[in-house]
Amino acid sequence: MLGPVEVKSQNLNIEKAHVECIYRPKAGIPTIEDKLRENVIRDTCESALLTMLHPRTTISIQIQELDDRCGVRKLVNN
């Protein structure tokens, strides 16, 4: 996790920090399911972080999948 840092003008919010999340799968390019994971992770972190304390900033979360062990992928595909 990196932040808070200066926000880009298109994401500027004068009341709270902008939270961005990047999820990288173990192999290959990100799929639609991976983008859904990004949204869930971002929403969860945004609710847990005190974004009101850092207006006009960005908090960047970058997650790299190392091993799935048939857990996350099975849950999403069912």
Side-chain angles (χ1 to χ4, degrees):
M1 190 157 85
L2 175 68
V5 296
E6 189 174 344
V7 68
K8 294 179 182 176
S9 60
Q10 69 261 24
N11 298 325
L12 180 65
N13 187 338
I14 61 171
E15 296 181 6
K16 64 179 188 171
H18 170 73
V19 179
E20 68 179 22
C21 180
I22 300 169
Y23 177 87
R24 303 270 186 232
K26 183 176 178 183
I29 60 172
T31 63
I32 293 172
E33 289 85 12
D34 295 329
K35 293 296 180 184
L36 291 173
R37 282 190 195 92
E38 275 184 7
N39 289 336
V40 169
I41 293 166
R42 186 192 68 240
D43 292 345
T44 303
C45 291
E46 190 170 12
S47 66
L49 295 168
L50 300 174
T51 56
M52 297 290 192
L53 295 178
H54 305 285
R56 300 183 186 123
T57 58
T58 295
I59 299 171
S60 180
I61 303 165
Q62 299 178 16
I63 298 175
Q64 172 69 53
E65 179 182 330
L66 299 177
D67 192 11
D68 184 23
R69 297 186 188 188
C70 299
V72 174
R73 302 263 181 217
K74 273 188 172 179
L75 290 173
V76 172
N77 293 331
N78 286 335

